[in-house]
Amino acid sequence: MSGTELAVAGEVVELVRWLAGPQAQAEVSVTRYGLELTRFANSFIHQNVAEQSFSVRLRVHVDGRTATGSGSRVDPDGLRGLVDRTLAAARLCPPDPAWPGLTPPAPVGPSGPVDEAITGAQPEDRADRVRAFVDAVGGLEAAGYCRTSYRSGAFANSAGHSARGRTAEAAMDGIARVGGADGMARLCVDRLADLDGAALGARAAARARAAVDPVELPPGRYEVVLEPAAVADLLQSLSWYGFNGKRYAERQSFAELGAAQFDPTVTLVDDPLHGSGLPYDVEGTPRRPLTLVEAGTTRAVTHDRRSGAEAGTGSTGHGMLGGSTFGPIPRNLRLAATTDSGGSTGPAGAGGAAATGAGGAGGAGGAGGAVVDGDTAALVGQVRRGLLVSDLWYTRVLDPKSLVVTGLTRNGVWLIEDGVVTRAVRDLRFTESYPRALGPGAVLGLGARAVRQPDRTDGVWWEAPPLRLASWNFTGGASG
């Protein structure tokens, strides 16, 4: 369908030329979007919704002034109205001396493979996975969602540059609950066949049962094993506040280019084409893998055209809606696993997130066999005394410069003693500097499989293996 979108984008560019003259600069993004969501609670589906939309975004630079407009109508009157409104807004805007110009013509790579099972998914396809999840929890209370989404888009500008692409993803996030204890499993995939509701449900149920009757632990610094869902929160905050080129230019970021700020085991790559993502950004710049941290050394921050021009480096392909306000952000960040720098999002990756590990290497006795799979168990087995943390939430940044974050654990915390998960622990509050926690000497181990975690926004994901960290600062219980 992207040929249709490209024709619409070209038509808008020609309208701007006709109405504002050949000196006017224009860029147009056209996106066809579909999102289908099936939600369940109390072990029943209670909502199935679908959204289909067609959006046209126009940015013009006329007589030294810049304005942006958007619309959803693609008929001649609708497109003419969009151009008229945007040109009128430009005349009222203040001068824009920092205008970076349009993306010049450049080759844009093809989109990755698109799973037609996702683009054509029906409510029954998602309901089948929900049913499998609910059946697998074995009578426990279950809640969560299953979603499928796709995008087909095109870009054109008056400098002669154009691009198009397609992308799709599927995701599931569910919890099982028993006796006030929750267990969680979530996964984001590129192929619908890799979304195994039964495996995810079994994982969540095993966690919930193992989290019953938790003990209270005193605050303090503990060695921890963070599972992929918890690591995803670290990656998200590092992206928003650290590798953001606008914050870096404003000296609000911890990033120091060329400095060994992380443990040598840490390599972070923003890689939109590794999973669901269009091959160009909102400004038409080709998107490619960008290594932000290489073997512990900070190598780059992300830029759109404006921040890249100010930095003298050019865009890294991270132009995005709202970027002029909060800056360009890496939104497909992955932490390289120990045995696969590309991670895994197929069945192997699903196993890292969904296998119950009922007889795994978690150690005899206690909760270990029900809590850890083979990948996490390898890290747990190295811990003399510490905590296994499933998930972090309600995280808030206290100091953007050092990226000190406070938040809570949820969906299961367990005590590790002599390499064995022994019993559940009540949720804890933490206050920790994320860069410090990943700093030189602080990462004691990485899992062998990277598992992709969905974001609240489709097309955004965070991929990481479990991590063993030397120290994590817990400051109190969940109530304070």
Side-chain angles (χ1 to χ4, degrees), residues 84-403:
D84 286 339
R85 293 193 306 271
T86 309
L87 291 174
R91 288 191 289 270
L92 300 174
C93 287
D96 181 9
W99 167 247
L102 299 173
T103 301
V108 176
S111 300
V114 173
D115 182 21
E116 302 302 335
I118 294 178
T119 64
Q122 300 299 309
E124 292 83 359
D125 297 313
R126 294 182 297 280
D128 287 345
R129 284 159 176 78
V130 172
R131 168 54 62 195
F133 187 100
V134 170
D135 288 346
V137 304
L140 275 59
E141 183 181 337
Y145 72 79
C146 179
R147 79 178 183 217
T148 52
S149 63
Y150 67 89
R151 294 176 188 269
S152 175
F155 174 91
N157 68 23
S158 55
H161 178 54
S162 65
R164 59 183 181 177
R166 298 174 67 218
T167 184
E169 72 169 34
M172 193 166 190
D173 186 347
I175 64 168
R177 175 172 293 172
V178 58
D182 294 339
M184 170 277 300
R186 63 176 68 112
L187 186 65
C188 179
V189 295
D190 300 325
R191 298 195 315 135
L192 190 59
D194 294 335
L195 200 59
D196 188 338
L200 292 167
R203 170 79 163 176
R207 292 305 191 82
R209 293 188 178 100
V212 173
D213 193 24
V215 297
E216 187 108 19
L217 285 186
R221 287 198 169 272
Y222 289 81
E223 185 176 330
V224 294
V225 174
L226 301 182
E227 295 210 280
V231 180
D233 189 86
L234 276 70
L235 299 186
Q236 183 180 44
S237 292
L238 290 169
S239 294
W240 277 76
Y241 297 96
F243 301 118
N244 179 328
K246 184 174 186 290
R247 287 187 173 271
Y248 177 78
E250 295 170 347
R251 300 185 180 181
Q252 296 183 33
S253 165
F254 68 83
E256 298 178 19
L257 300 183
Q261 295 185 278
F262 295 87
D263 191 87
T265 60
V266 174
T267 293
L268 294 170
V269 181
D270 186 63
D271 197 355
L273 301 186
H274 175 63
S276 52
L278 293 174
Y280 59 91
D281 69 7
V282 74
E283 297 176 313
T285 305
R287 302 178 76 191
R288 299 184 178 92
L290 177 67
T291 299
L292 302 168
V293 177
E294 182 180 22
T297 299
T298 302
R299 295 296 187 192
V301 295
T302 56
H303 289 292
D304 55 19
R305 288 190 61 77
R306 191 175 293 270
S307 70
E310 292 172 352
T313 61
S315 174
T316 57
H318 289 84
M320 56 188 293
L321 295 178
S324 60
T325 300
F326 48 75
I329 297 167
R331 293 173 292 169
N332 305 113
L333 190 60
R334 59 180 177 87
L335 172 63
T338 54
T339 59
D340 181 5
S341 62
S344 177
T345 57
T356 61
V371 172
V372 293
D373 59 21
D375 195 26
T376 304
L379 298 179
V380 168
Q382 302 168 23
V383 178
R384 187 182 69 81
R385 189 172 190 275
L387 294 174
L388 172 64
V389 179
S390 291
D391 199 6
L392 305 175
W393 78 298
Y394 208 65
T395 52
R396 298 293 183 268
V397 175
L398 300 180
D399 179 12
K401 179 68 174 178
S402 58
L403 199 50

Side-chain angles (χ1 to χ4, degrees), residues 451-473:
V451 182
R452 188 179 303 167
Q453 303 295 300
D455 192 84
R456 288 183 292 271
T457 303
D458 68 292
V460 180
W461 48 258
W462 317 98
E463 185 174 293
L467 290 181
R468 178 186 170 210
L469 302 181
S471 177
W472 193 264
N473 185 34

